Amino acid sequence: MTRKSYAKVNIFLKIVGKRDSYHQIASRFVLVKNLYDEISFLKKEVDSFTLEGNFSCSLEKNTIYKAYKELEKYESVKEFFKKNIVKIEKNIPEFAGLGGGSSNCACFLNMVNEVCNLNLRKEELAKIALKIGADVPFFVYEYNSANVSGIGEIVEEFIEDSLDIEVITPKIACDTGLIYKTFRDKFYKELDKVKAKELFDTNSKDILKQYNIEDANDLYLPASFLEKDLKNFAKKDWFFSGSGSSFFRINSGKN
């Protein structure tokens, strides 16, 4: 079994409040269909859960391993991964605002749910997903485009035309936690609920026609404050995804 684990971009990302140490967001997540990792389950007898791939973190910190630990209470899951290993072909840059780790985690959850016949509903998988990361529930639902709110746990499908998204990722490692802290300390502002609803009702192309890079993503200013070189990539019609460092634009299909 092999599945594509897609990247995402945030068409907009606005902060609407705080919840303890978390920030509450209003955001439009859109899958990038031309950028994906591939996750495979391969038959192989092993003594313990085995994950193969080129990662920058230890096994214990990998989102797929964390997902496995949440599911190993099911006997069918434990038995399956004594006879199968997980292999990932990585293409999505890490620490780039593209949700690669979150996407891998969600893809794994969906695959295990199917192959081990767990029969968990998407809502149940999303609750497990949220324990691992705020962006993971979006990927569990497998929507092409969705409005995401709360701390990431509220995911509502948004129907719109598919977008041709081009992504560039500078070799700049953005620290998400530090960027949020800098936003809170130096750039804090909240979007009111009326404006958030307007954004949620508007298609992605129209939002990007109305907004510039700073207005679309509240994390761009703190990110570029911390990493000055990001400003070199903030060209006309390019936008910033998540906490970076990736930039994206929508191609119209015109030459």
Side-chain angles (χ1 to χ4, degrees), residues 13-27 134 148-154 180 183-184 188-191 193 196 200 218-219:
L13 195 163
K14 308 297 287 182
I15 307 301
V16 297
K18 301 174 190 171
R19 187 194 301 171
D20 301 322
S21 60
Y22 291 97
H23 292 80
Q24 293 177 297
I25 64 168
S27 186
V148 178
S149 53
I151 60 169
E153 80 278 15
I154 303 168
Y180 269 106
F183 171 79
R184 190 179 280 218
Y188 194 81
K189 58 181 177 178
E190 290 182 5
L191 186 72
K193 289 179 180 177
F200 279 158
D218 283 346
L219 300 183

Side-chain angles (χ1 to χ4, degrees), residues 80-98:
F80 181 81
F81 288 107
K82 288 178 183 175
K83 298 172 183 174
N84 294 270
I85 65 167
V86 185
K87 185 174 182 180
I88 305 191
E89 294 290 340
K90 288 293 290 180
N91 299 301
I92 303 171
E94 296 181 291
F95 312 112
L98 299 173

Side-chain angles (χ1 to χ4, degrees), residues 227-250:
E227 300 290 346
K228 307 291 192 233
D229 288 347
L230 287 172
K231 292 180 180 177
N232 298 331
F233 299 88
K235 298 184 168 69
K236 185 178 178 344
D237 296 329
W238 285 85
F239 294 86
F240 194 63
S241 184
S243 57
S245 61
S246 294
F247 294 79
F248 70 94
R249 69 177 177 185
I250 308 298

Side-chain angles (χ1 to χ4, degrees), residues 38-74:
E38 289 189 302
I39 302 180
S40 301
F41 293 166
L42 304 175
K43 287 196 176 301
K44 187 177 182 181
E45 298 271 346
V46 286
D47 295 328
S48 59
F49 181 80
T50 302
L51 176 61
E52 293 184 354
N54 186 18
F55 309 108
S56 60
C57 65
S58 65
L59 175 67
E60 290 72 24
K61 290 185 178 178
N62 191 285
T63 57
I64 285 179
Y65 181 75
K66 291 177 181 179
Y68 168 73
K69 295 302 287 183
E70 292 290 336
L71 295 178
E72 69 173 348
K73 63 185 178 184
Y74 297 100

Side-chain angles (χ1 to χ4, degrees), residues 99-142:
S102 297
S103 177
N104 291 170
C105 178
C107 188
F108 175 82
L109 287 170
N110 282 324
M111 290 170 75
V112 174
N113 191 42
E114 181 181 329
V115 78
C116 294
N117 299 310
L118 302 183
N119 299 314
L120 297 172
R121 293 177 293 111
K122 289 287 192 187
E123 291 77 11
E124 294 173 283
L125 287 172
K127 283 183 180 175
I128 296 169
L130 189 63
K131 294 179 185 178
I132 301 164
D135 289 353
V136 186
F138 162 71
F139 290 104
V140 162
Y141 286 103
E142 299 182 281

